[in-house]
């Protein structure tokens, strides 16, 4: 078994910086060529010359391995994709829909937590929209560092994006985390939903230490560091240049308000990588990605796709089995890439079924001539 590293991540750096010029070498198609070169190099050794090749990927690389098989079916025998997104999409509002549904379905506390977030964020947005003083008040209440000088919808999006990020990450982590966070929210003090949400964020005290400044400019600064220390920059470049997958609140069927829309991310793309990232070009890049890779329906066989119902990336994945040798498994209650761990007595029935059957198919395909 070999673990390969994607160019521009970790130690695999083809350039000495992350400038926009350097990042032109960062593309999913180029990563596939790197992987092909690695496999061909291994096959020059006698011990690997006749070896079969199976690729395994989680999240973005879950998509990458299937795209690789689609491009080089003679070289790759089997692929296993867990939580892999395939369909490039600008406004990925489905991400927060999944998180909202996960919260609502929490046993005993789901409805209370759902309402607490929905109405709490709604009330804070209304106060923010009441004028400069209201906006400054919301920012200060949330423990965000000064200056309290919000400027328009871009700053508002940066502030309210935090709630979706915080709860969204829970789809990746320990299944107890959403319950723990919701219990804290439900038990927070306050006369209104907004007060309870603020006290949840600040643990019910006046913050002694503020969070970092949260506004559009500080968000843009995360992607502005062109040195190799700018770890946020490569992945966001791929989003702007290939995939989209911008997490937005552009639907009423989620609890995180209405403030985070595609315009926010498109402007970040331009400020980070240059004026060529117009709205039109960003959308054309996503369209081209789906044209090249097939969107929801990559043309593959002997491939497994696994998703969890609480995985916020699942809506961008292969929604159903494509043929009798390209099979999709769903894990009820499963999160992001949870099936990649060994079988356990603590696995749910759905998790056990997905692990046992997906791996049985892989074993069968690898045993075939």
């Amino acid at each position: 078994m070999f673990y390969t590293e994607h160019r521009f991540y970790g130690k695999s750096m083809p350039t000495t910086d992350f400038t926009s010029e350097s990042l032109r070498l960062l593309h999913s198609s180029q990563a596939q060529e790197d992987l092909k070169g690695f496999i061909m190099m291994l096959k020059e050794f006698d011990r690997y010359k006749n070896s079969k090749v199976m690729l395994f990927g989680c999240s973005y690389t879950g998509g990458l391995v299937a795209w690789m098989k689609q491009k080089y079916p003679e070289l790759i025998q089997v692929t296993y994709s867990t939580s892999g997104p395939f369909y490039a999409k600008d406004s990925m509002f489905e991400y927060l829909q999944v998180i909202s549904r996960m919260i609502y379905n929490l046993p005993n506390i789901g409805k209370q937590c759902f309402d607490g977030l929905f109405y709490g964020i709604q009330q804070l947005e209304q106060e923010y929209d009441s004028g400069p003083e209201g906006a400054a008040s919301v920012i200060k209440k949330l423990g965000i560092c000064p200056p309290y000088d919000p400027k328009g919808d871009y700053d508002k999006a940066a502030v309210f994006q935090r709630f979706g990020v915080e709860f969204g990450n829970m789809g990746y982590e320990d299944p107890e985390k959403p319950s723990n966070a919701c219990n804290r929210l439900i038990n927070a003090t306050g006369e209104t939903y907004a007060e309870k949400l603020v006290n949840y964020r600040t643990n019910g005290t006046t913050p002694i230490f503020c969070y970092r400044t949260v506004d559009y400019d500080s968000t843009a600064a995360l992607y502005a560091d062109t040195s190799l220390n700018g770890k946020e920059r490569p992945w966001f470049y791929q989003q702007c240049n290939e995939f989209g997958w911008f997490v937005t609140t552009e639907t009423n069927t989620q609890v995180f308000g209405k403030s985070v829309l595609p315009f926010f991310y498109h402007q970040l793309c331009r400020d980070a990588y240059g004026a060529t990232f117009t709205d039109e070009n960003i959308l054309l890049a996503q369209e081209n990605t789906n044209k090249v890779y097939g969107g929801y329906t990559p043309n593959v066989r002997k491939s497994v796709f696994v998703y969890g119902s609480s995985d916020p990336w699942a809506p961008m994945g292969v929604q159903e089995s494509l043929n009798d040798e390209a099979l999709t498994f769903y894990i009820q209650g499963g999160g992001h890439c949870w099936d990649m761990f060994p079988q356990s007595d603590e696995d749910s029935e759905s998790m056990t079924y997905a692990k046992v059957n997906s791996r049985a198919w892989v074993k069968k395909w690898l045993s075939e001539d």
Side-chain angles (χ1 to χ4, degrees), residues 69-81:
K69 181 160 177 43
Q70 179 174 246
K71 190 173 185 179
Y72 299 112
E74 299 83 10
L75 184 63
I76 313 299
Q77 278 68 55
V78 177
T79 58
Y80 188 112
S81 169

Side-chain angles (χ1 to χ4, degrees), residues 147-313:
Y148 307 125
D149 185 25
K151 303 180 184 69
D153 290 338
Y154 291 96
D155 282 351
K156 182 184 177 186
V159 170
F160 284 95
Q161 183 196 31
R162 294 169 56 84
F163 292 105
V165 169
E166 178 181 338
F167 278 85
N169 287 341
M170 293 177 187
Y172 293 74
E173 300 170 346
D174 185 331
E176 296 300 318
K177 282 200 172 183
S179 294
N180 294 339
C182 280
N183 276 315
R184 281 181 47 219
L185 174 59
I186 291 167
N187 293 320
T189 59
E191 295 296 320
T192 67
Y193 285 110
E195 288 174 1
K196 289 173 72 70
L197 184 57
V198 165
N199 286 330
Y200 157 80
R201 292 291 295 121
T202 61
N203 291 318
T205 63
T206 301
I208 298 174
F209 302 102
C210 61
Y211 300 102
R212 63 178 175 82
T213 300
V214 178
D215 56 17
Y216 177 81
D217 289 343
S218 63
T219 304
L222 293 174
Y223 308 110
D225 185 353
T226 59
S227 75
L228 295 184
N229 294 321
K231 300 301 182 184
E232 304 287 343
R233 192 166 164 84
W235 175 242
F236 193 60
Y237 177 82
Q238 287 196 265
Q239 288 184 271
C240 297
N241 194 48
E242 294 187 74
F243 306 122
W245 297 334
F246 302 123
V247 177
T248 73
T249 57
E250 201 173 37
T251 176
N252 292 326
T253 54
Q254 51 79 35
V255 298
F256 298 98
K258 300 180 178 180
S259 301
V260 188
L261 301 175
F263 73 83
F264 172 69
Y265 296 101
H266 289 189
Q267 188 61 48
L268 285 172
C269 292
R270 284 188 283 278
D271 288 342
Y273 309 113
T276 58
F277 285 85
T278 62
D279 292 354
E280 181 182 10
N281 285 343
I282 291 169
L283 295 174
L284 282 173
Q286 296 161 22
E287 182 180 330
N288 185 64
T289 296
N290 289 327
K291 182 178 180 180
V292 170
Y293 293 142
Y296 289 118
T297 56
N299 183 21
V300 292
R301 299 188 73 86
K302 297 187 177 179
S303 298
V304 164
F305 309 94
V306 184
Y307 300 95
S309 64
S310 296
D311 178 7
W313 287 93

Side-chain angles (χ1 to χ4, degrees), residues 88-141:
K89 188 172 188 286
D90 195 51
S91 177
M92 192 170 70
F93 57 77
E94 294 90 345
Y95 188 103
L96 294 180
Q97 282 182 318
V98 171
I99 298 302
S100 299
R101 184 175 64 244
M102 177 188 71
I103 291 168
Y104 189 88
N105 289 334
L106 288 172
N108 302 318
I109 60 172
K111 179 66 163 58
Q112 279 183 279
C113 188
F114 185 98
D115 288 347
L117 282 167
F118 180 86
Y119 292 111
I121 292 173
Q122 183 184 78
Q123 289 171 5
L124 289 174
E125 283 183 325
Q126 289 170 349
E127 182 178 0
Y128 194 103
D129 290 339
S130 66
E133 291 184 1
S137 173
V138 169
I139 293 172
K140 188 172 183 179
K141 286 176 183 177

